[in-house]
Amino acid sequence: MENIPEDKRHIKGWGVDIDPKNDPTYPMKHRTNEEHKGYSWERPSLQPVNIEVLHSNERPNVTAVFGTSTPPSGLSGMIRRYAFKHSENSYLHWLPLLLADRVNVVEGIVDDFKQGHVPNIFAEKGMKADWKHDKAGLFQKVAITALVTTAAVLILTGKHKELAKKF
Amino acid sequence: MLAMNYRGPRRVRIDNKPMPEILHPEDAIVRVTRSCVCGSDLHLYNGNVPDTRVGMTFGHEFTGEIVEVGSEVTKVKVGDNVLVPFNIACGKCAFCKQKLFGNCHESNSQATAVGGIFGYSHTAGGYDGGQAEYVRVPYANVGPTVIPEGMHPDDAVMLTDVVPTGYQAAEMGGIQPGDTVVVFGAGPVGIMAAKCAWLFGAGRVIIIDHVEYRLEFARNYAQCEAYNFRSLEDPVVFIKKTTDWMGADVCIDAVGAEAAGNAMQTITGRKLLLQAGSATALHWAINAVKKGGIVSVVGVYGPTDNLVPIGNVVNKGLTIRANQASVKRLLPRLIEHVQNGILDPKALITHHFALEEVADAYHIFSDKLDECIKPVLVPPSAQ
Ligand SMILES: NC(=O)c1ccc[n+]([C@@H]2O[C@H](COP(=O)([O-])OP(=O)(O)OC[C@H]3O[C@@H](n4cnc5c(N)ncnc54)[C@H](O)[C@@H]3O)[C@@H](O)[C@H]2O)c1
Ligand SMILES: [Zn+2]
Ligand SMILES: [Zn+2]
């Protein structure tokens, strides 16, 4: 029992009811209590950090390996950097990240256009599959979109009063 | 190379991306042969996971051939056909050493509350995933497992996530012989959990969903009872009644954040994102389990909060057990089960799509069209 804290043994009754079988983590965890020694394991080789990696402030460092997909950039990147000033325990971490994700979508469309690529949103949404497997659903979507767009156009062009008169 | 490219909520496409490179001595590059779309991908697809960046490639359930290895890779070699667990795990940290391979401390810089996962947003490490022709696989001495000779490739790819997750869902339930087990969710994970509940000696297995074709599939595949919650006035009362008013011994949440069935949960969890997804199934699980019972959660939720009746957990004396599946820990046993015909995971795969059809695959799986249970993407080089 290497995990008995020497300096606690003077406490009367310390450990009299230890029951190693009472382990709700079994069999998920093969308990060795390594983590009682803290962050002290021999770390794997470290992946060189040559892109911007944001890391949680609930840990001291970047992990030994990390993903290199899409480093933070632009306005969304600025929001993400702000988010990482706050811990995972805080809404100020997660809500800005969700906001950054939405900003990032607009940046993505701008990027597409900059590269001369007009995004085919119909195809990206997989609506070809609707045509094949869910025509009724597709017609409903198209009808709703048409209705909303018409209403928006009418309102934006100031024709809503005429529209109102008609109903 | 061709790779899936996330453009925003419910918008994905195939694009040309640079080939992945070895960035760490324990890296391998894998030429993908199969890559599934998972219920977990739907949380990303719907834009509900914070720090899901535009341009990322998803995909955490894949098999492939090793085409390049870093200088420290000794356990696999170029030419090996491998299945790759969805967890990225170092094998050296205190958690990996205790077989918590889903909770590695050296694979996700962005969050301490989750280990690294392939293609699963920056909240799970920022790795590009396997819905591509090639993928970088870190810690290749730990995760990738050579596919046993003669194993069907569709079985192999299901061992990267669905089989271990379904199995661990049942395992965490601490099922004792004769127990009544209720599984919420008849997606691939729930169906596999129902099937595995028998392996632990369940006496009765019930699965709950609202998609009729999935219930029908579950009834046949997992030899269990299957009920549509839309036709039950209150699923919790139904479970109480059918267990002689005791409640189930074990309830499994295999739904997660995309749950339907309660308008308030759906609006606050899925539309307004005021909570970390809709917690309807977990809510039902807590209320439908008996006093002193066990709730096993594999359904995935976001990193903030959810509305669940925690007071009932206290007053009923419940045990809640949950985790990302520790795929590597379970693989030896599960490979055996597949080889002995105890589990037939490939039967869950209803759709094979060309990788180029990734947008349709997501849409069909997400909207449950064409009686889809589990879709797999096959890159052109593997067709
Ligand atoms: N913990 C892990 O390691 C792990 C691994 C893989 C998947 N998952 C999670 O498991 C869950 C299921 O994955 P999947 O691939 O089977 O997804 P899926 O989306 O195919 O299946 C979910 C099913 O739940 C049903 N459902 C919705 N609301 C329900 C409710 N209130 N009660 C009962 N059923 C309801 C849906 O109709 C659907 O059939 C997801 O949350 C996924 O993220 C976890
Ligand atoms: Zn998965
Ligand atoms: Zn580790």
Side-chain angles (χ1 to χ4, degrees), chain B residues 353-381:
Chain B
F353 290 98
L355 175 62
E356 296 92 316
E357 297 171 319
V358 66
D360 294 346
Y362 269 85
H363 184 67
I364 287 175
F365 179 58
S366 161
D367 283 24
K368 306 185 174 64
L369 304 176
D370 199 28
E371 311 225 325
C372 183
I373 305 277
K374 184 76 176 174
V376 59
L377 302 165
V378 187
S381 58

Coordinates of all heavy atoms in Angstrom, one line a residue, chain B residues 353-381:
Chain B
F353 N -21.5 5.1 -49.0 CA -21.5 6.3 -49.8 C -20.0 6.5 -50.3 O -19.1 6.2 -49.6 CB -21.8 7.6 -49.1 CG -23.3 7.7 -48.7 CD1 -23.7 7.3 -47.4 CD2 -24.2 8.1 -49.6 CE1 -25.0 7.5 -47.0 CE2 -25.6 8.2 -49.2 CZ -26.0 7.9 -47.9
A354 N -19.9 7.0 -51.6 CA -18.6 7.4 -52.0 C -18.3 8.7 -51.1 O -19.2 9.4 -50.8 CB -18.6 7.8 -53.5
L355 N -17.0 8.8 -50.8 CA -16.6 10.0 -50.0 C -17.1 11.3 -50.5 O -17.5 12.2 -49.8 CB -15.0 10.0 -49.8 CG -14.4 11.2 -49.1 CD1 -14.8 11.3 -47.7 CD2 -12.9 11.1 -49.2
E356 N -17.1 11.4 -51.9 CA -17.6 12.6 -52.6 C -19.0 12.9 -52.2 O -19.5 14.0 -52.4 CB -17.4 12.4 -54.1 CG -16.0 12.2 -54.6 CD -15.6 10.8 -54.7 OE1 -15.9 10.0 -53.7 OE2 -15.0 10.4 -55.7
E357 N -19.8 11.9 -51.8 CA -21.2 12.2 -51.5 C -21.4 12.5 -50.0 O -22.5 12.3 -49.4 CB -22.0 10.9 -51.8 CG -22.0 10.5 -53.3 CD -22.6 9.2 -53.5 OE1 -22.4 8.2 -52.8 OE2 -23.4 9.1 -54.5
V358 N -20.4 13.1 -49.4 CA -20.4 13.3 -47.9 C -21.6 14.1 -47.5 O -22.2 13.9 -46.5 CB -19.1 13.9 -47.4 CG1 -18.8 15.3 -47.9 CG2 -19.0 13.8 -45.9
A359 N -22.0 15.1 -48.3 CA -23.1 16.0 -47.9 C -24.4 15.3 -47.8 O -25.2 15.4 -46.9 CB -23.2 17.2 -48.8
D360 N -24.6 14.4 -48.8 CA -25.8 13.6 -48.8 C -25.8 12.6 -47.6 O -26.9 12.4 -47.0 CB -26.0 12.8 -50.1 CG -26.2 13.8 -51.3 OD1 -26.5 15.0 -51.1 OD2 -26.0 13.3 -52.5
A361 N -24.7 12.0 -47.4 CA -24.6 11.1 -46.3 C -25.0 11.7 -45.0 O -25.8 11.1 -44.2 CB -23.1 10.5 -46.2
Y362 N -24.4 12.9 -44.7 CA -24.8 13.6 -43.4 C -26.3 13.9 -43.4 O -26.9 13.7 -42.3 CB -24.0 14.9 -43.3 CG -22.7 14.7 -42.5 CD1 -21.6 14.3 -43.2 CD2 -22.6 14.9 -41.2 CE1 -20.4 14.1 -42.5 CE2 -21.4 14.8 -40.5 CZ -20.3 14.4 -41.2 OH -19.1 14.2 -40.5
H363 N -26.8 14.3 -44.5 CA -28.2 14.7 -44.5 C -29.1 13.5 -44.3 O -30.1 13.6 -43.5 CB -28.5 15.5 -45.8 CG -29.9 16.0 -45.9 ND1 -30.3 17.0 -45.0 CD2 -31.0 15.6 -46.6 CE1 -31.6 17.3 -45.3 NE2 -32.0 16.4 -46.3
I364 N -28.8 12.5 -45.0 CA -29.7 11.3 -44.9 C -29.6 10.7 -43.5 O -30.6 10.3 -42.9 CB -29.2 10.2 -45.9 CG1 -29.7 10.7 -47.3 CG2 -29.8 8.8 -45.6 CD1 -29.2 9.8 -48.5
F365 N -28.4 10.6 -42.9 CA -28.2 10.0 -41.6 C -28.9 10.9 -40.5 O -29.6 10.5 -39.6 CB -26.7 9.9 -41.2 CG -26.5 9.3 -39.9 CD1 -27.0 8.1 -39.5 CD2 -25.7 10.1 -39.0 CE1 -26.7 7.6 -38.2 CE2 -25.4 9.6 -37.7 CZ -25.9 8.3 -37.3
S366 N -28.7 12.2 -40.7 CA -29.2 13.2 -39.7 C -30.8 13.2 -39.7 O -31.4 13.2 -38.7 CB -28.7 14.6 -40.0 OG -29.4 15.6 -39.4
D367 N -31.3 13.2 -40.9 CA -32.8 13.3 -41.1 C -33.5 12.0 -41.1 O -34.7 11.9 -41.3 CB -33.2 14.1 -42.3 CG -33.0 15.6 -42.1 OD1 -32.2 16.0 -41.2 OD2 -33.6 16.4 -42.7
K368 N -32.7 10.9 -40.9 CA -33.2 9.5 -40.9 C -34.0 9.2 -42.1 O -35.2 8.8 -42.0 CB -34.0 9.3 -39.6 CG -33.1 9.7 -38.4 CD -33.5 9.4 -37.0 CE -32.4 9.7 -36.0 NZ -32.0 11.1 -36.0
L369 N -33.5 9.5 -43.2 CA -34.1 9.2 -44.5 C -33.7 7.8 -45.0 O -32.7 7.3 -44.5 CB -33.7 10.2 -45.6 CG -34.0 11.7 -45.2 CD1 -33.4 12.6 -46.3 CD2 -35.4 12.0 -45.0
D370 N -34.4 7.2 -45.9 CA -34.1 6.0 -46.6 C -33.7 4.9 -45.6 O -32.8 4.1 -45.8 CB -32.9 6.3 -47.5 CG -32.8 5.2 -48.6 OD1 -33.8 4.6 -48.9 OD2 -31.6 4.9 -49.0
E371 N -34.4 4.9 -44.4 CA -34.2 3.8 -43.4 C -32.8 3.7 -43.0 O -32.3 2.5 -42.8 CB -34.8 2.5 -43.9 CG -36.2 2.6 -44.4 CD -37.2 1.6 -43.9 OE1 -36.7 0.4 -43.7 OE2 -38.3 1.9 -43.7
C372 N -32.0 4.8 -42.9 CA -30.6 4.7 -42.6 C -30.4 4.4 -41.1 O -30.9 5.0 -40.2 CB -30.0 6.1 -43.0 SG -28.2 6.1 -42.7
I373 N -29.5 3.4 -40.9 CA -29.0 3.2 -39.5 C -27.6 3.7 -39.4 O -27.4 4.6 -38.6 CB -29.1 1.7 -39.1 CG1 -30.4 1.1 -39.3 CG2 -28.5 1.5 -37.7 CD1 -31.5 1.2 -38.3
K374 N -26.7 3.2 -40.2 CA -25.3 3.6 -40.1 C -24.7 3.8 -41.5 O -24.7 2.8 -42.2 CB -24.5 2.6 -39.3 CG -23.1 2.9 -39.0 CD -22.9 4.0 -38.0 CE -21.5 4.3 -37.6 NZ -21.4 5.4 -36.7
P375 N -24.2 5.0 -41.8 CA -23.6 5.2 -43.1 C -22.1 5.1 -43.0 O -21.5 5.6 -42.0 CB -24.0 6.6 -43.5 CG -24.3 7.3 -42.2 CD -24.4 6.2 -41.1
V376 N -21.5 4.6 -44.1 CA -20.0 4.6 -44.1 C -19.6 5.2 -45.5 O -20.2 5.1 -46.5 CB -19.4 3.2 -43.9 CG1 -19.9 2.2 -45.0 CG2 -17.9 3.2 -44.0
L377 N -18.5 6.0 -45.4 CA -18.0 6.7 -46.6 C -16.7 5.9 -47.1 O -15.9 5.5 -46.3 CB -17.5 8.1 -46.2 CG -18.6 9.0 -45.6 CD1 -17.9 10.2 -45.0 CD2 -19.5 9.5 -46.7
V378 N -16.7 5.7 -48.4 CA -15.6 5.0 -48.9 C -14.8 5.9 -49.9 O -15.4 6.4 -50.9 CB -16.0 3.7 -49.7 CG1 -14.8 2.9 -50.1 CG2 -16.9 2.9 -48.8
P379 N -13.5 6.2 -49.6 CA -12.8 7.1 -50.5 C -12.5 6.4 -51.9 O -12.5 5.2 -51.9 CB -11.5 7.3 -49.8 CG -11.7 6.8 -48.4 CD -12.8 5.8 -48.5
P380 N -12.3 7.3 -52.9 CA -12.2 6.7 -54.3 C -11.0 5.7 -54.3 O -11.2 4.6 -55.0 CB -11.9 7.9 -55.2 CG -11.8 9.1 -54.3 CD -12.3 8.7 -52.9
S381 N -10.0 5.9 -53.6 CA -8.8 5.0 -53.7 C -9.1 3.7 -53.1 O -8.3 2.7 -53.2 CB -7.6 5.6 -53.0 OG -7.9 5.9 -51.7

